[in-house]
Amino acid sequence: MSDNGSTSSQGLAALFSHGRLTAIPRKAARREQVLVHLSQTLFEPDRAYSEREVNEALRTVHEDCAALRRYLVIAGLLTRTRDGSSYLRAAG
């Protein structure tokens, strides 16, 4: 039996084709797995990003950057300033 780490990373890889997310998962647990991966690979800790920068980074993996950005904020993986002018990767 394999460990959960390699099983989950194999499952995650199945959601990507040529470095692009094929679809945003509907199942919450699966979507959370993708969002954690995106937050850790696309955004540096302790760096502020404008909404445009967040969108550009997310567009490198999927066209629906608005949905991904919203999911990242809802999941607490990205925090947004009250005025919406900048985003930070959440600590963790």
Side-chain angles (χ1 to χ4, degrees):
M1 184 160 230
S2 64
D3 69 337
N4 285 342
S6 65
T7 302
S8 63
S9 54
Q10 288 171 352
L12 187 61
L15 298 172
F16 288 84
S17 176
H18 304 287
R20 302 222 5 120
L21 183 63
T22 56
I24 299 171
R26 291 186 179 177
K27 290 186 177 181
R30 190 76 148 162
R31 187 171 51 238
E32 177 84 13
Q33 185 182 25
V34 168
L35 295 172
V36 168
H37 171 74
L38 294 178
S39 70
Q40 292 175 348
T41 58
L42 297 177
F43 304 104
E44 297 174 28
D46 303 319
R47 178 175 180 254
Y49 292 87
S50 68
E51 184 171 310
R52 181 182 197 154
E53 291 173 310
V54 171
N55 289 345
E56 288 172 358
L58 293 172
R59 261 194 214 101
T60 65
V61 294
H62 196 273
E63 284 306 307
D64 196 350
C65 60
L68 288 173
R69 186 183 68 243
R70 186 172 47 252
Y71 286 135
L72 284 163
V73 170
I74 290 169
L77 297 166
L78 281 184
T79 58
R80 182 175 58 190
T81 56
R82 180 171 228 139
D83 66 2
S85 65
S86 67
Y87 294 78
L88 285 168
R89 184 175 118 186

